[in-house]
Amino acid sequence: MATKPEKWDLETDVLVVGSGGSGLTAAMVAHDMGSRVTLIEKTDKIGGATALSGGFPWIPNNHLEKELGIPDSREEALTYMTFITQRRVDDELVEVLIDKGPEMLKYIEDKVGLRFSVSSMPDYHAEKIGGKVKGRSLGPPAFDTNLLGEKWKDKIRPAPITMIPISWAEFEASDAMANPKNLDFKKMAENMTKGIVGMGMATVGYLLKGCLDRDIELLLKSRARELVLEDGRVIGLKAEKDGQGFCIRASQGVILASGGFEWNEELKNAFIPGPDLQALSHPANEGDGHRMAMAVGAELGNMSEFWGQPAAIRPGEEYEGRQLVRITMGERSLPHAIMVNRNGRRFVDEAHNYSDIAKTFCAVDPVAHDHCNFPAWVIFDQQFRERYGVLTVFPDAPDPDWLIKAETLEDLAGKAKIDAKGLKATVERFNGFAREGVDPDFHRGASAYDKWGGDANHKPNPSLGTIENPPFYAMSIVLGTLGTKGGPRTDVNGQVRHIMGGIIQGLYAAGNVMASTSGPGYGGAGNTIGAGMTWGYIAAKHAALRIKK
């Protein structure tokens, strides 16, 4: 931690660190409560991990689902979240999240003009008590970046994977999950030319405009380095811009919203189990907030957890000078494909939600002292190749060099270094399941989420199809993450707890920098963003009511 400077370079009431959904929401709320607000962002772009995402908030018991007559309740949400958290999160924190989430969502709609649409996407465990088959995951509208003005219209962080310049409602109506050729590419090209963005970039666009409309001070390329304490209370921090240090005083508090630590090898090695973790977020997520909080005695929680994603790599693709890692969805969940380990065996319902699937990569064989299911491969045949996309390769495009291909399963296994007998036996068994439309091994295609991610036109099961038409293909799967989900533990007001008890006065946390209130689980699409924005809302309200010191 830094010593108190003789002179402050900048003074404000509430200082927000990070410009993702959590930070932008916190900045607006603190301003609307009457505080002077400054937000600092490490990079030259606004949006953090939110901009790179689908832009969904997951908010149980929200007003949008009620308007459509979709039943939900506080009690159901709490029951469901108790299952998701596995009792590893304080009940009072879960209750506050459930109670304040709908309040935050209504504030964003009324004060910012950001009205989400109700997605048809189910909760990730919709069949569990309290789960819902629709209503809690909310998709963003499109956003016109010209509304930001010339200075800021190009400052939203570009999304290399989810850069789809239409609203979520339009995307969902196109059934592009199963058939991306259904997208209106002419309209998307026109929208891009006009400066219209979608998904996470759209969510960030609305929130950024809300900050600009309020004349909130936004400082880019300003990296937070050290918190400043006085009598055990955080009163500001030392930052760095263009190699020069400067000190910011925050009379009411500092809100950390600086993202996860998935790009920090030291922290990953210290806390995250399993195979090497490949980050799908922006390389700036190096755990700056975590290190600052630890330096002043923050109590940590949930540090071994992450928002996992079975992912794949197209060689040569880069983002911000680093290898780009792509999500897999249809490659696993659509008919005529399976995922296997080195023994050629399936090990999970491939169509299940990505975060829970990723956990199976961390399973260990105690005798071999090695991970059972890593490395892994997606295996599919010509039926899949003719119907569905593979990463960015459409069905009518030539086979890329990085895709392993063979005329027989035995040859495919040899090229991929998979046990040939195991693979052949697995495919034969799976083909029997596909013809019957039932998977007794892993129940693929049985859940609401599996059905949502499948091909509704494929019978008898939207997720199961035989793998029997050559050529056969294999694509390597890596363990990816959208972000880590551990960090400083907080109280119900978002205040960071001290390792020796009590709280660290003047310090708050929201988003992936804090110990996630979903614990080891994932409630549904947008759990990350919904919780982050809600805790930004909670923390800002409390900080803005503090006596200025």
Side-chain angles (χ1 to χ4, degrees):
M1 62 182 176
T3 57
K4 181 180 177 182
E6 294 183 3
K7 180 182 179 181
W8 297 98
D9 298 293
L10 177 65
E11 297 196 30
T12 191
D13 294 330
V14 175
L15 176 61
V16 179
V17 181
S19 68
S22 310
L24 294 172
T25 300
M28 287 187 292
V29 172
H31 171 277
D32 290 354
M33 294 285 291
S35 298
R36 292 178 301 163
V37 180
T38 298
L39 182 149
I40 62 173
E41 162 59 40
K42 179 179 180 178
T43 72
D44 63 347
K45 294 289 191 293
I46 295 287
T50 305
L52 274 60
S53 73
F56 276 64
W58 182 79
I59 306 290
N61 200 28
N62 66 76
H63 69 280
L64 296 173
E65 59 182 341
K66 294 181 186 300
E67 290 174 8
L68 295 178
I70 301 172
D72 201 354
S73 68
R74 181 179 190 269
E75 291 70 26
E76 288 175 297
L78 288 174
T79 299
Y80 181 69
M81 283 302 293
T82 298
F83 164 75
I84 291 297
T85 63
Q86 298 179 3
R87 292 284 186 186
R88 286 171 54 184
V89 179
D90 292 344
D91 290 345
E92 60 180 4
L93 293 180
V94 177
E95 290 179 16
V96 169
L97 175 67
I98 297 301
D99 290 341
K100 294 299 181 181
E103 188 178 302
M104 177 280 296
L105 185 68
K106 195 67 170 65
Y107 163 85
I108 291 296
E109 183 176 311
D110 293 343
K111 302 296 185 181
V112 185
L114 172 52
R115 182 177 172 86
F116 294 92
S117 63
V118 174
S119 169
S120 64
M121 198 182 305
D123 286 348
Y124 286 164
H125 295 275
E127 289 72 25
K128 298 300 181 181
I129 298 176
K132 294 292 175 181
V133 297
K134 180 181 179 179
R136 292 170 174 172
S137 291
L138 307 172
F143 177 76
D144 185 353
T145 59
N146 294 293
L147 298 173
L148 301 175
E150 288 299 320
K151 180 181 177 181
W152 293 96
K153 63 179 295 184
D154 296 324
K155 294 299 183 183
I156 299 176
R157 176 162 301 290
I161 299 172
T162 58
M163 188 180 280
I164 303 175
I166 55 176
S167 70
W168 172 258
E170 292 175 284
F171 177 81
E172 197 166 44
S174 72
D175 191 31
M177 286 292 294
N179 190 352
K181 294 176 71 173
N182 288 346
L183 288 169
D184 187 339
F185 288 96
K186 181 179 179 181
K187 180 178 180 179
M188 292 200 302
E190 291 175 352
N191 283 355
M192 291 182 72
T193 302
K194 294 176 182 177
I196 295 173
V197 297
M199 309 299 166
M201 295 177 69
T203 297
V204 168
Y206 278 97
L207 299 178
L208 173 57
K209 185 176 185 300
C211 288
L212 296 176
D213 289 345
R214 290 162 171 78
D215 292 324
I216 291 172
E217 186 173 34
L218 306 174
L219 303 179
L220 304 184
K221 295 190 286 187
S222 300
R223 183 175 187 175
R225 285 294 192 182
E226 298 176 272
L227 294 165
V228 179
L229 265 66
E230 183 178 56
D231 299 328
R233 181 184 188 277
V234 172
I235 60 171
L237 62 72
K238 181 179 180 181
E240 184 180 89
K241 184 178 178 66
D242 300 325
Q244 300 295 316
F246 67 102
C247 296
I248 307 172
R249 176 172 173 77
S251 64
Q252 292 179 308
V254 173
I255 301 177
L256 298 177
S258 49
F261 58 86
E262 61 272 14
W263 285 95
N264 186 309
E265 294 301 319
E266 180 183 351
L267 292 177
K268 282 198 300 181
N269 290 337
F271 293 108
I272 303 292
D276 187 29
L277 196 60
Q278 304 292 319
L280 283 77
S281 63
H282 185 268
N285 287 354
E286 299 174 292
D288 293 356
H290 296 78
R291 295 170 68 90
M292 290 191 298
M294 285 189 278
V296 297
E299 179 183 1
L300 302 179
N302 220 46
M303 290 293 286
S304 63
E305 301 293 340
F306 54 95
W307 307 101
Q309 170 68 252
I313 293 173
R314 286 193 57 169
E317 282 191 315
E318 289 190 351
Y319 179 65
E320 296 288 334
R322 305 291 187 96
Q323 174 66 57
L324 177 65
V325 182
R326 291 188 172 274
I327 63 174
T328 63
M329 294 286 280
E331 294 86 356
R332 297 177 284 102
S333 63
L334 292 169
H336 311 295
I338 57 174
M339 188 162 62
V340 301
N341 58 23
R342 65 169 68 89
N343 296 316
R345 297 172 183 164
R346 295 175 67 211
F347 53 91
V348 71
D349 168 8
E350 298 93 339
H352 195 48
N353 79 78
Y354 48 81
S355 190
D356 286 333
I357 288 180
K359 294 177 183 177
T360 64
F361 287 10
C362 300
V364 172
D365 179 339
V367 177
H369 193 60
D370 197 5
H371 295 102
C372 310
N373 302 320
F374 188 84
W377 292 263
V378 165
I379 306 294
F380 54 95
D381 71 352
Q382 186 63 18
Q383 296 179 91
F384 184 100
R385 187 73 181 86
E386 289 175 352
R387 290 170 171 80
Y388 311 116
V390 182
L391 300 186
T392 59
V393 181
F394 276 37
D396 53 359
D399 290 332
D401 294 339
W402 47 265
L403 201 56
I404 302 173
K405 177 181 176 181
E407 290 299 316
T408 68
L409 287 172
E410 290 86 353
D411 287 346
L412 186 75
K415 291 181 178 182
K417 295 182 173 57
I418 302 170
D419 181 81
K421 290 184 179 179
L423 178 61
K424 188 174 181 180
T426 293
V427 171
E428 288 176 354
R429 180 175 175 82
F430 179 79
N431 286 346
F433 299 163
R435 293 186 184 100
E436 294 294 326
V438 179
D439 173 15
D441 286 350
F442 297 103
H443 310 291
R444 176 171 162 184
S447 71
Y449 183 79
D450 283 14
K451 291 182 174 69
W452 179 87
D455 183 348
N457 296 316
H458 187 275
K459 307 299 179 183
N461 187 310
S463 189
L464 301 180
T466 60
I467 303 172
E468 57 186 349
N469 291 4
F472 301 97
Y473 299 85
M475 182 175 71
S476 177
I477 299 295
V478 299
L479 178 57
T481 180
L482 305 174
T484 54
K485 55 190 300 192
R489 297 186 64 200
T490 66
D491 69 1
V492 295
N493 298 310
Q495 297 178 105
V496 173
R497 295 178 175 178
H498 196 282
I499 187 64
M500 300 304 292
I503 61 168
I504 301 173
Q505 294 286 341
L507 184 62
Y508 300 80
N512 282 354
V513 72
M514 69 178 279
S516 172
T517 43
S518 68
Y522 204 158
N527 195 161
T528 322
I529 295 172
M533 292 174 67
T534 300
W535 284 106
Y537 176 86
I538 292 168
K541 278 206 158 191
H542 189 269
L545 292 175
R546 294 179 61 85
I547 298 174
K548 300 177 183 180
K549 292 185 179 180

